């Protein structure tokens, strides 16, 4: 599904990612953990095609395609989804209208007609209900004056209706209360199948109790320094990054 | 919706020229002698069989025009206009003897309107919208006439009103925009060709949107439209105008005068969707749109509300204004002005507070892309008699790219200590992170810009009549095509 090979990325001449390798197969859930500033969000932006990042070396393959050749919207329509660490506010644009526009963009890309109004209403209602997002909320401007946790739920709602093949969740759990954490995790688990994959970026082992990863990777200073299974997250919780990085080097 | 799809396809099929209405229609025309002279004025008046008082009024206006200096263009860069190079009257020959019914209209003209999405056949017409269509210089059809007649509402072309309702026309024409106001007001008064006339009798709420569609077709023709709307006591009317023109390399001139009069407790809502041909990417061709629009709230507790979406024209020069004469009267101005490529817009409003407890609200959204220049110019004036009056003004500018400009020029004159004037202004660049966010959800860059700009304009667009709001949203997106790399 996704193969990152010896990736080197810099921003304005400053090296951020320094030789990162990661392969995610269909149906797998990978967790990525690492200290602040180690390059996790940078990786998620590079994967989704944000401007301003210099790819100095390396290659990324996505479903047999050279990912770096594709535009942001092409990547999205080919099933790559990023749940943002800091979702954007779009004033004047009603949340439900935004969702509809996003669905229709994908449908247009796939050569399908626009979504039927009734069908759309049904889809949104059931997905939003599951996430505890009210219909009043859907009438408000996208993310404007949403609380931190509400914004994160909104990201998961978008993911649920767009049904990506490869979803990257950048600290979706940060700022969520206990109940929201469970609800959001259920949203992810519902989507999880043999056909799609996840890269879950988090600081907390707690999330991984809900979303059981197949692999856990630790990133430090732009490189994956250790990989393992779920137990690595437990070990990390106990010893902290410093110890683990030491062992790795 | 399928209509969106079709609009987009149609636009794309035009190749590098995105203007959807850029076709012209081949017709036999009757034209005034080329150029501007007393003879031209007489020719126009004669073509319309006007009574003497109207001809005299025109001739006087022409004298005034010759004496007035040209307006000072401020922020606009306008090439000298050669008034002798235009035709001031053009009429398709087949309309010479005004058609009695739609069946008598030249099928070519009906086809033109159909291409524009304005079917004139009554049975096909948008429900709840009465349409008058002005083709070059003459009014083509007025639909829904009978239904309106029954309520005593007059909705016809100004030419017809001069014949049928001379007392009303005589009483009100030039009463809001004096002939001597400025050079274009005088020019329009001398050579105006057609436009709409509306009279809503006392106590009547007009049940449908009244709408006029202006189209410049003939080459080298100026369009001098004259519209007069009178809302008698306790009445209400909502009026909308739309405009298009074919793509031509020469600049075409459009100088309209619109006068609104609201008597006691009356309300007039006037909306414009202006989509004249803007010229090509290099700034060749396009309409010069010099418009004087002014409304007077003559009666107590009356209200006039202007909403405009200005996306077309090479140059737009336009300040729809309100004179708040009656006590407790209200004026509103909601504006979206979009300039792309080499377009220039200088637009805004004047709110003149004369009566007590008068209030006004100005919401202006200016969007600039390409190498375009966009200026908001406004005046809020509060007279010493206008105690307890208030104004709220908000001007927001959005820049797309770094070769365009946005300017805000608010003038405030207050001679009244207990009045309140609030002014807020912002200028920002389109947010790259918002664009990225939208594109990560699958929107292409043009759709993403369209979405964000529509959000930026929402406060204004929501004041348009429902039937036109969707169309206007599409227009906003289309007029910014090619603005992001
Ligand atoms: N636009 C930028 N300009 C300069 N430096 C940047 C820019 N974006 C990121 N960086 C730097 O790159 C490094 C990696 O940042 P990144 O956001 O990827 O970290 P992260 O692992 O997601 O951290 P956190 O856990 O705090 O979210 C940091 O040192 C950051 O300051
Ligand atoms: Mg981060």
């Amino acid at each position: 599904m996704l193969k990152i090979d010896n990736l080197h990325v810099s921003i304005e001449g400053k090296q951020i990612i320094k030789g990162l390798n990661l392969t995610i197969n269909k149906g797998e859930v990978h967790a990525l953990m690492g200290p602040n500033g180690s390059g996790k969000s940078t990786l998620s932006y590079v994967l989704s095609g944000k401007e301003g990042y210099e790819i100095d070396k390396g290659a990324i393959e996505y479903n047999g395609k050279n990912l770096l050749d594709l535009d942001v919207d092409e990547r999205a329509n080919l099933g790559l989804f990023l749940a943002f660490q800091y979702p954007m506010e779009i004033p004047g644009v009603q949340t439900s209208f935004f969702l509809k526009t996003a669905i229709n963009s994908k449908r247009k890309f796939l050569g399908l007609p626009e979504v039927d109004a009734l069908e759309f209403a049904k889809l949104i209602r059931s997905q939003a209900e599951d996430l505890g997002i009210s219909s009043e909320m859907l009438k408000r401007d996208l993310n404007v004056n949403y609380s931190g946790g509400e914004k994160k739920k909104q990201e998961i709602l978008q993911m649920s209706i767009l049904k990506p093949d490869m979803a990257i969740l950048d600290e979706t759990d940060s700022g969520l209360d206990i109940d929201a954490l469970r609800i959001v995790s259920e949203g992810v688990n519902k989507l999880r199948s043999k056909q799609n994959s996840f890269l879950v970026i988090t600081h907390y082992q707690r999330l991984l109790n809900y979303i059981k990863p197949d692999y856990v990777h630790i990133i430090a200073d732009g490189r994956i320094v250790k990989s393992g299974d779920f137990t690595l997250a437990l070990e990390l919780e106990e010893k902290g990054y410093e110890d683990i990085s030491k062992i790795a080097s | 919706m399928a209509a969106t799809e079709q609009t987009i396809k149609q636009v794309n099929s035009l190749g590098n020229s995105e203007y959807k209405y850029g076709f012209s229609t081949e017709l036999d025309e009757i034209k005034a002698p080329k150029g501007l002279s007393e003879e031209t004025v007489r020719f126009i008046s004669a073509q319309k069989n006007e009574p003497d008082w109207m001809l005299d009024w025109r001739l006087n206006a022409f004298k005034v025009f010759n004496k007035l200096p040209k307006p000072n263009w401020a922020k606009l860069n306008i090439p000298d206009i050669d008034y002798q190079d235009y035709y001031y009257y053009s009429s398709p020959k087949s309309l010479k003897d005004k058609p009695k019914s739609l069946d008598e209209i030249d099928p070519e003209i009906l086809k033109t309107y159909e291409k524009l999405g304005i079917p004139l056949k009554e049975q096909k017409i948008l429900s709840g919208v009465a349409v008058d269509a002005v083709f070059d210089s003459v009014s083509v059809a007025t639909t829904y006439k009978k239904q309106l007649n029954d309520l005593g509402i007059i909705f016809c072309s100004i030419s017809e009103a001069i014949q049928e309702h001379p007392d009303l026309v005589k009483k009100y024409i030039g009463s809001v925009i004096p002939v001597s106001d400025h050079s274009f007001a005088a020019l329009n008064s001398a050579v105006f060709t057609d436009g709409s006339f509306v009279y809503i009798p006392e106590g009547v709420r007009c049940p449908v949107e009244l709408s006029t569609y202006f189209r410049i077709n003939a080459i080298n023709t100026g369009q001098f439209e004259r519209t007069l709307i009178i809302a008698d006591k306790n009445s209400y009317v909502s009026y909308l105008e739309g405009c298009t023109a074919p793509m031509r390399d020469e600049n075409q001139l459009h100088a309209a005068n619109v006068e609104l009069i609201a008597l006691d407790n009356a309300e007039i809502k006037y909306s414009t969707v202006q989509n004249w041909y803007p010229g090509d990417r290099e700034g060749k061709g396009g309409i010069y749109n010099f418009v004087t629009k002014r409304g007077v709230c003559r009666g107590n507790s009356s209200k006039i509300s202007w909403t405009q979406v200005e996306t077309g024209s090479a140059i737009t020069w336009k300040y729809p204004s309100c004179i708040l004469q009656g006590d407790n009267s209200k004026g509103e101005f909601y504006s979206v002005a979009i300039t792309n490529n080499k377009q220039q817009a200088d637009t805004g409003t004047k709110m003149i507070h004369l009566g007590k407890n008068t209030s006004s609200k100005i919401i202006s959204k200016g969007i600039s892309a390409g190498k375009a220049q966009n200026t908001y110019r406004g005046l809020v004036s509060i007279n010493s008699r206008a105690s307890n009056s208030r104004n709220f003004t908000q001007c927001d500018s959005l820049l797309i790219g770094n070769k365009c400009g946005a300017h805000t020029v608010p003038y405030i004159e207050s001679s009244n200590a207990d009045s309140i004037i609030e002014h807020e202004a912002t200028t920002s660049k389109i947010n790259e992170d918002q664009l990225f966010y939208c594109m990560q959800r699958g929107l292409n860059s043009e759709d993403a810009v369209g979405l964000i700009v529509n959000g930026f304009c929402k406060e204004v667009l929501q004041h348009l009549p429902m039937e036109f709001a969707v169309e206007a949203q599409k227009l906003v997106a289309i007029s910014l095509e090619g603005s992001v790399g």
Side-chain angles (χ1 to χ4, degrees):
Chain A
M1 166 110 356
L2 182 74
K3 188 165 184 290
I4 306 171
D5 185 27
N6 193 28
L7 184 68
H8 287 72
V9 178
S10 55
I11 308 170
E12 286 160 10
K14 185 183 161 211
Q15 283 201 333
I16 308 288
I17 292 179
K18 307 167 181 171
L20 186 139
N21 294 294
L22 179 63
T23 299
I24 299 178
N25 296 307
K26 238 187 199 176
E28 291 176 354
V29 175
H30 291 236
L32 183 64
M33 306 179 79
N36 296 132
S38 54
K40 303 182 296 297
S41 293
T42 302
L43 177 65
S44 73
Y45 287 146
V46 168
L47 289 174
S48 43
K50 192 175 182 181
E51 268 176 43
Y53 297 86
E54 203 63 52
I55 314 294
D56 301 320
K57 222 198 263 178
I60 308 175
E61 194 187 297
Y62 174 68
N63 278 338
K65 291 192 170 68
N66 179 357
L67 187 73
L68 298 172
D69 276 351
L70 305 173
D71 290 336
V72 180
D73 51 328
E74 278 178 294
R75 298 181 197 198
N77 287 322
L78 288 169
L80 188 100
F81 181 92
L82 169 62
F84 284 66
Q85 184 174 1
Y86 304 108
M88 293 305 298
E89 300 185 357
I90 318 265
V93 176
Q94 209 177 48
T95 303
S96 58
F97 182 77
F98 182 81
L99 297 173
K100 198 167 166 187
T101 308
I103 288 186
N104 282 333
S105 298
K106 182 160 185 178
R107 291 180 68 97
K108 189 166 146 193
F109 182 84
L110 298 174
L112 297 169
E114 293 196 355
V115 66
D116 172 76
L118 210 69
E119 193 186 319
F120 172 76
K122 257 199 248 160
L123 173 72
I124 293 295
R125 193 169 326 130
S126 73
Q127 299 286 3
E129 237 165 56
D130 288 353
L131 290 164
I133 297 174
S134 70
S135 52
E136 281 74 53
M137 196 86 175
L138 295 172
K139 285 188 197 128
R140 281 169 54 182
D141 291 357
L142 180 66
N143 288 329
V144 177
N145 296 324
Y146 279 29
S147 77
E150 287 167 344
K151 283 183 185 169
K152 297 300 181 72
K153 278 189 189 173
Q154 177 56 226
E155 293 294 284
I156 298 305
L157 174 60
Q158 292 178 18
M159 182 184 79
S160 308
I161 64 167
L162 290 171
K163 302 199 171 28
D165 299 324
M166 172 80 234
I168 305 160
L169 310 184
D170 191 357
E171 294 198 30
T172 303
D173 56 330
S174 297
L176 290 183
D177 65 40
I178 310 260
D179 291 348
L181 183 68
R182 185 177 42 78
I183 292 167
V184 160
S185 306
E186 279 166 8
V188 173
N189 288 330
K190 213 169 58 183
L191 192 67
R192 198 168 166 176
S193 81
K194 286 205 160 60
Q195 297 310 310
N196 53 28
S197 320
F198 291 85
L199 178 61
V200 181
I201 298 171
T202 181
H203 285 297
Y204 308 105
Q205 176 263 325
R206 198 183 54 187
L207 174 71
L208 305 179
N209 290 335
Y210 291 101
I211 305 172
K212 279 270 173 325
D214 300 303
Y215 300 93
V216 174
H217 309 278
I218 293 165
I219 181 174
D221 195 22
R223 228 178 265 119
I224 288 178
V225 292
K226 197 163 187 205
S227 297
D229 62 9
F230 178 66
T231 54
L232 181 57
L234 296 170
E235 195 185 326
L236 188 63
E237 193 87 325
E238 218 170 280
K239 296 180 179 159
Y241 287 119
E242 203 143 338
D243 267 14
I244 294 213
S245 306
K246 242 182 257 159
I247 298 160
S249 58
Chain B
M1 233 193 273
T4 324
E5 201 63 16
Q6 209 194 346
T7 310
I8 291 166
K9 261 196 216 122
Q10 217 166 334
V11 167
N12 289 342
S13 70
L14 286 167
N16 59 3
S17 60
E18 291 91 350
Y19 192 66
K20 162 187 174 192
Y21 309 99
F23 57 87
S24 61
T25 310
E26 295 288 336
L27 292 168
D28 271 348
E29 291 152 351
I30 300 169
K31 279 183 175 162
K34 197 175 188 178
L36 185 59
S37 63
E38 196 179 303
E39 196 197 344
T40 310
V41 177
R42 286 180 186 279
F43 179 90
I44 293 168
S45 190
Q47 281 294 313
K48 294 178 168 292
N49 252 325
E50 284 179 352
D52 286 347
W53 64 266
M54 197 70 243
L55 174 63
D56 293 343
W57 196 76
R58 287 178 181 274
L59 290 172
N60 171 55
F62 185 61
K63 279 201 197 102
V64 173
F65 169 74
N66 284 328
K67 279 189 219 134
L68 285 173
K70 274 200 297 180
N72 177 9
W73 295 117
K75 261 282 167 228
L76 297 175
N77 172 19
I78 298 183
D80 269 345
I81 296 168
D82 182 358
Y83 289 107
Q84 301 312 333
D85 204 32
Y86 285 94
Y87 290 100
Y88 289 83
Y89 182 85
S90 162
S91 155
K93 272 204 177 110
S94 57
L95 285 174
K96 179 66 182 79
D97 300 304
K98 195 167 169 35
K100 311 271 171 314
S101 80
L102 288 165
D103 296 332
E104 292 176 27
I105 293 176
D106 190 333
E108 283 298 310
I109 294 181
L110 287 181
K111 250 192 254 160
T112 303
Y113 278 95
E114 231 146 78
K115 269 197 238 175
L116 294 168
I118 322 271
L120 293 177
K121 292 277 187 194
E122 211 143 338
Q123 64 272 25
K124 280 197 256 164
I125 227 141
L126 286 163
S127 56
V129 183
V131 181
D132 185 25
V134 176
F135 195 87
D136 286 333
S137 304
V138 280
S139 176
V140 180
T142 308
T143 58
Y144 268 110
K145 215 159 195 175
K146 163 115 183 48
Q147 289 92 319
L148 298 173
N149 262 344
D150 292 346
L151 287 164
I153 293 171
I154 305 170
F155 176 40
C156 62
S157 68
I158 191 102
S159 310
E160 199 179 329
I162 291 166
Q163 307 291 340
E164 309 286 329
H165 310 283
D167 294 343
L168 280 171
V169 176
K170 235 192 248 181
K171 182 169 175 190
Y172 290 108
I173 196 167
S175 75
V176 188
I177 306 170
V179 167
S180 58
D181 205 73
H182 58 84
S183 132
F184 282 114
L187 178 63
N188 175 288
S189 302
V191 300
F192 75 87
T193 42
D194 222 328
S196 290
F197 177 83
V198 176
Y199 174 77
I200 313 290
E202 189 170 339
V204 172
R205 223 187 132 79
C206 184
V208 294
E209 301 281 344
L210 300 184
S211 166
T212 302
Y213 212 87
F214 293 100
R215 167 97 180 148
I216 298 179
N217 186 62
I219 199 159
N220 278 351
T221 302
Q223 192 178 55
F224 299 91
E225 143 217 355
R226 183 106 204 173
T227 288
L228 183 55
I229 300 177
I230 303 136
D232 214 324
K233 291 176 188 165
N234 297 309
S235 70
Y236 167 84
V237 63
S238 169
Y239 178 92
L240 180 127
E241 60 170 1
C243 343
T244 59
M247 296 193 318
R248 299 198 188 275
D249 286 347
E250 301 80 18
N251 294 107
Q252 284 168 288
L253 186 60
H254 175 254
N257 276 15
V258 174
E259 297 177 286
L260 313 183
I261 296 118
L263 302 182
D264 283 351
N265 261 316
E267 179 176 348
I268 302 175
K269 190 172 148 63
Y270 191 107
S271 312
T272 304
V273 176
Q274 186 266 109
N275 185 27
W276 296 118
Y277 177 52
D280 70 8
R281 269 172 203 284
E282 307 311 319
K284 190 163 190 214
I287 301 286
Y288 290 164
N289 188 33
F290 303 136
V291 175
T292 307
K293 288 185 163 152
R294 198 175 299 163
V296 57
C297 286
R298 204 157 278 170
N300 290 339
S301 304
S302 54
K303 179 175 171 187
I304 288 178
S305 175
W306 299 100
T307 303
Q308 61 174 23
V309 177
E310 303 282 325
T311 64
S313 295
I315 299 173
T316 295
W317 180 89
K318 170 176 183 198
Y319 315 91
S321 306
C322 297
I323 300 168
L324 304 171
Q325 188 181 334
D327 291 347
N328 304 307
S329 60
K330 271 198 177 73
E332 292 174 346
F333 174 72
Y334 300 101
S335 169
V336 168
I338 299 181
T339 50
N340 195 359
N341 299 317
K342 291 201 168 164
Q343 283 176 276
Q344 307 175 60
D346 195 308
T347 183
T349 184
K350 288 186 220 168
M351 293 290 174
I352 314 291
H353 293 250
L354 301 176
K356 293 186 184 62
N357 303 316
T358 48
S359 63
S360 62
K361 185 171 171 187
I362 300 171
I363 308 283
S364 161
K365 306 277 178 179
I367 298 102
S368 260
K371 294 177 181 163
Q373 295 294 328
N374 202 325
T375 302
Y376 168 82
R377 188 182 305 279
L379 168 69
V380 175
S381 164
I382 302 199
N383 191 277
S384 57
R385 281 173 294 137
S387 49
N388 276 318
S389 293
R390 55 189 309 159
N391 161 267
F392 174 75
T393 300
Q394 185 172 336
C395 295
D396 298 319
S397 303
L398 187 67
L399 301 172
I400 301 172
N402 43 25
K403 294 195 181 104
C404 52
H407 319 273
T408 304
V409 191
Y411 296 97
I412 296 169
E413 302 167 359
S414 181
S415 342
N416 192 297
D418 53 31
S419 292
I420 302 170
I421 298 175
E422 289 170 90
H423 179 94
E424 290 172 11
T426 65
T427 300
S428 51
K429 286 192 99 160
I430 193 158
N431 186 324
E432 295 289 336
D433 289 341
Q434 283 179 345
L435 283 175
F436 172 64
Y437 186 81
C438 293
M439 290 178 71
Q440 211 302 304
R441 297 302 183 251
L443 281 70
N444 64 37
S445 58
E446 284 178 351
D447 289 349
V449 170
L451 186 89
I452 291 166
V453 172
N454 265 306
F456 175 75
C457 300
K458 184 185 173 189
E459 254 179 295
V460 172
L461 297 178
Q462 69 190 8
H463 287 279
L464 284 176
M466 269 286 277
E467 292 88 339
F468 299 96
V470 177
E471 209 53 45
Q473 281 173 19
K474 280 183 233 156
L475 195 56
V476 165
I478 289 168
S479 53
L480 286 168
E481 272 179 12
S483 63
V484 282

